[in-house]
Amino acid sequence: MIKSKLPTIISCSKEQDSVTWRLDIAADLDYFNGHFPEQPVLPGVTQLDWAIKLGCEHFGYPIDVATLEVLKFQQLMLPGTQVDLNVSHNAAKAKLTFAYSDGEKRFASGRIALNGAPNTADAN
């Protein structure tokens, strides 16, 4: 697990088993430095870290990943964009499913299997 700083959260909308954050992917984020000089791209590991941090915090899980499943990076996430991060929760299987998108444009998605059960007292 990397220790990345979260991007600016513009908005957040919650449903029973899912939450969507609108994120500002500012051009001055450190993650763009050296990745890559010709065309900066947000690293996939940073995208994954944000989904894990935000999803675990929201649904009350400790950050303890068992496995990553069906991880896909469909399009490059470039500096100066805004994206939606949707995380849904399957409590019976202790899994979070995430997807980064902007309208019809899909950036990344996957499923995160976690160790342990959520602490419902900490969940948002």
Side-chain angles (χ1 to χ4, degrees):
M1 199 82 230
I2 64 171
K3 304 296 180 192
S4 62
K5 180 181 171 192
L6 293 171
T8 299
I9 297 173
I10 298 168
S11 64
C12 178
S13 61
K14 302 172 187 177
E15 295 184 20
Q16 183 174 349
D17 289 321
S18 72
V19 60
T20 301
W21 294 273
R22 183 73 174 169
L23 306 176
D24 181 30
I25 312 303
D28 63 354
L29 290 173
D30 288 339
Y31 314 114
F32 291 117
N33 293 338
H35 195 263
F36 297 94
E38 307 80 39
Q39 172 58 68
V41 174
L42 188 67
V45 68
T46 301
Q47 297 173 47
L48 181 60
D49 188 59
W50 291 348
I52 292 168
K53 282 182 179 178
L54 288 168
C56 285
E57 180 180 309
H58 179 78
F59 292 107
Y61 283 97
I63 297 177
D64 187 5
V65 175
T67 59
L68 301 173
E69 303 170 348
V70 297
L71 191 58
K72 296 179 185 177
F73 294 95
Q74 293 102 331
Q75 292 191 48
L76 300 177
M77 201 175 295
L78 304 176
T81 60
Q82 292 183 356
V83 298
D84 292 318
L85 168 58
N86 177 271
V87 178
S88 60
H89 178 230
N90 182 331
K93 295 184 178 182
K95 292 184 180 184
L96 301 176
T97 301
F98 74 92
Y100 285 93
S101 63
D102 186 22
E104 295 298 313
K105 192 177 211 180
R106 305 286 176 225
F107 294 99
S109 61
R111 196 166 45 237
I112 305 156
L114 301 162
N115 290 311
N119 178 352
T120 54
D122 290 345
N124 293 327

